[in-house]
Amino acid sequence: MTQAGHYLEIEHKFVVDPSFDRSGWMNAVRALSPVAEYTAQVTERYFLTKLTPNVIYRHRYDTNNQDLTYKSYRQGDIEVRQEVRIILDRSTGSQVDQVTAFLQPLSIAWQSNLRKDLWAFSFSDCEIVYYEAHSDHKTVRCVELEAISSEHLDAALATLASYEARLGFDVTQRSRSSLFDLLFADQLVKPTHER
């Protein structure tokens, strides 16, 4: 989350193929001296509701985090989008059932799970993550760079450009789609006005 705007996520995502050299890439990231590094196996459940069609909800649970997040949805390019995250108590175990019940009054229209293996590197101005995300039907491998603590959008984008250049990513090759769309878009029925 950046200071560039209230509750904004400013991020670039690169979809990579199965032959991506994860070990070599991780060594290149470590050479940039991250302040922290961690790995996790994550379970996530995504929700769409009838009463909030331009928001997607996500419950995330792993050994390091449990949270409920909403992100703006159906806006096109995901480079900058609204994100609000509420941290949940990990010590109680997964609260996915409580989250489902919490969202039920919004009339849940669709929900599905994914599993994610991730390797994350934190810097003072950026978080860089490689993950392999699996739905029941697809697997997607991505590198994400998220600017943090930037004073404005231009500074956040400059931060992303700096790390992309050092790690050999071409911004013109970034994905404009969210992980949700990459894994689940083909399962959704579009409203009549969007066809």
Side-chain angles (χ1 to χ4, degrees):
M1 198 123 0
T2 70
Q3 295 174 3
H6 198 56
Y7 299 113
L8 288 183
E9 174 185 63
I10 302 171
E11 170 185 281
H12 285 175
K13 177 193 318 300
F14 297 88
V15 177
V16 297
D17 62 39
S19 66
F20 180 72
D21 180 7
R22 186 181 75 209
S23 295
W25 174 83
M26 287 172 50
N27 288 335
V29 176
R30 288 182 182 119
L32 301 176
S33 301
V35 295
E37 173 183 341
Y38 69 93
T39 185
Q41 293 183 319
V42 184
T43 57
E44 297 180 355
R45 182 175 293 174
Y46 285 85
F47 301 87
L48 293 176
T49 70
K50 291 179 183 175
L51 296 181
T52 57
N54 295 319
V55 171
I56 184 158
Y57 299 91
R58 178 192 70 194
H59 172 264
R60 174 175 61 179
Y61 181 70
D62 63 51
T63 56
N64 301 307
N65 299 289
Q66 179 165 211
D67 54 52
L68 173 62
T69 302
Y70 86 71
K71 298 184 182 199
S72 52
Y73 180 59
R74 293 188 173 121
Q75 68 177 29
D77 191 342
I78 61 155
E79 181 179 54
V80 179
R81 61 184 172 161
Q82 187 175 33
E83 175 184 80
V84 178
R85 178 176 169 229
I86 299 172
I87 298 171
L88 302 175
D89 184 1
R90 260 186 345 180
S91 68
T92 61
S94 176
Q95 295 178 327
V96 69
D97 292 337
Q98 292 90 332
V99 167
T100 303
F102 182 84
L103 294 174
Q104 196 60 51
L106 299 176
S107 189
I108 296 172
W110 181 92
Q111 60 183 302
S112 192
N113 298 317
L114 68 79
R115 298 164 316 285
K116 189 187 289 182
D117 297 304
L118 67 80
W119 293 261
F121 302 86
S122 297
F123 297 85
S124 62
D125 55 354
C126 190
E127 182 176 62
I128 302 174
V129 179
Y130 169 81
Y131 60 79
E132 298 174 3
H134 314 274
S135 71
D136 288 340
H137 306 288
K138 289 184 181 177
T139 295
V140 176
R141 294 163 183 83
C142 297
V143 172
E144 288 184 355
L145 299 92
E146 181 177 348
I148 54 177
S149 303
S150 296
E151 293 296 325
H152 50 80
L153 179 59
D154 289 342
L157 295 176
T159 295
L160 296 179
S162 172
Y163 283 95
E164 288 162 354
R166 290 182 277 171
L167 294 172
F169 288 98
D170 177 356
V171 70
T172 65
Q173 300 301 308
R174 73 176 175 84
S175 174
R176 268 74 172 162
S177 299
S178 67
L179 176 61
F180 176 84
D181 282 329
L182 292 171
L183 286 177
F184 300 118
D186 59 348
Q187 297 179 27
L188 303 176
V189 176
K190 290 186 177 182
T192 306
H193 68 276
E194 293 184 13
R195 291 182 188 166

